[in-house]
Amino acid sequence: MADPFEVRMRFTSQLQHLNASVTSAQKAANYALKYRDMDEDLHSCILEQLERNNMNNRANIMYFIEHLCDLAIRENHPEFVRMMQRDMVRVVDAVAPSDGSGAANVKVVRRVLAGLAQKQVLVPQTVSELEESLKERDTSGAHATLSPSNGAPGSGRHTPRGNGAIRLDKRQIEQRIEEDRERHKRLREVIWQVDAENDGEFEKLWEESSDIGEDDFTAAEEDAAERRQAIDLDS
């Protein structure tokens, strides 16, 4: 019989150390399904970490949630899915807060919501309502600029500035650039690994990935350029 406290602590540690790799998300999802008898407790860990960690970590947890729901469906343990459906508004509020501090995460939330809708985890009406709230959050962050904070490196804090901009730790900005680059690299690899001779397979993948196009890559590159500029200004 596993010790509930130890299981919770190990799962919390995995959530805190998630990165852009699929492996880290899958490892945490497998751990959660291994201790599915503690699903409510583990779900509460996810919510707690979403509300306590920096914006980069919240984005990684958002991507992890899609992996968790996908595995829960395959493992025939719908409880994780039901709890996520129940608390999705809270999840979105944590990953992309309405105060503009999570403006950089709005695109992340949209992509995960699209993936969950495709897997029928979320119904279209719910996604539509969440999308509507994200429009305002995207706008609220449109005039915010990312600039490194003067706080201690690695502090994991973000500080609102008087003009509405969000000051981020320089390490966080660099980390986010690398993670965004890794995700887009992996996406390109998935697309190009499709057998070009198998038109049916290619068309299926294209349809499933149609919500991510060249404009997404362009937007990601623009985001990365803004973060690099913020770092240069601080240099």
Side-chain angles (χ1 to χ4, degrees), residues 72-137:
I73 292 171
R74 293 204 308 267
E75 294 286 327
N76 194 29
H77 189 73
E79 282 74 13
F80 277 120
V81 175
R82 283 198 285 266
M83 287 186 285
M84 280 301 166
Q85 291 170 333
R86 181 193 67 201
D87 295 324
M88 189 52 62
V89 172
R90 182 176 173 184
V91 169
V92 171
D93 285 343
V95 182
S98 58
D99 63 4
S101 62
N105 285 344
V106 170
K107 292 176 183 176
V108 171
V109 174
R110 283 181 172 142
R111 289 172 184 170
V112 173
L113 289 178
L116 294 176
Q118 188 178 60
K119 295 176 174 64
Q120 298 183 329
V121 171
L122 297 177
V123 297
Q125 181 180 352
T126 298
V127 174
S128 179
E129 291 173 355
L130 291 171
E131 280 282 357
E132 194 63 30
S133 69
L134 288 173
K135 289 180 182 178
E136 299 176 359
R137 298 173 199 200

Side-chain angles (χ1 to χ4, degrees), residues 55-57 59 104-106 108 171-181 183 227:
M55 288 299 162
N56 287 353
N57 186 257
N105 285 344
V106 170
V108 171
R171 181 190 61 80
Q172 291 180 34
I173 298 174
E174 293 174 336
Q175 177 187 349
R176 185 58 175 269
I177 292 172
E178 289 303 317
E179 291 182 345
D180 286 348
R181 182 184 294 121
R183 288 192 181 96
R227 296 185 186 108

Side-chain angles (χ1 to χ4, degrees), residues 7 11 14-15 25-39 42-43 46 64 68 71 77 80:
V7 171
F11 185 58
Q14 289 182 356
L15 293 176
Q26 290 179 337
K27 179 180 178 182
N30 283 324
Y31 189 86
L33 266 297
K34 178 180 179 181
Y35 295 101
R36 64 190 71 189
D37 56 317
M38 296 175 56
D39 50 19
L42 296 181
H43 178 75
I46 296 171
F64 155 76
L68 176 61
L71 184 60
H77 189 73
F80 277 120

Side-chain angles (χ1 to χ4, degrees), residues 189-235:
E189 289 174 348
V190 169
I191 292 175
W192 288 110
Q193 281 174 359
V194 177
D195 185 356
E197 295 180 0
N198 191 338
D199 293 336
E201 179 102 13
F202 179 82
E203 291 298 329
K204 179 182 178 183
L205 178 62
W206 182 257
E207 286 300 321
E208 292 177 347
S209 305
S210 59
D211 58 306
I212 302 177
E214 284 302 318
D215 56 334
D216 293 293
F217 292 121
T218 301
E221 290 168 358
E222 291 175 351
D223 288 344
E226 289 178 2
R227 296 185 186 108
R228 292 191 195 96
Q229 183 179 22
I231 294 173
D232 293 338
L233 289 174
D234 187 62
S235 301

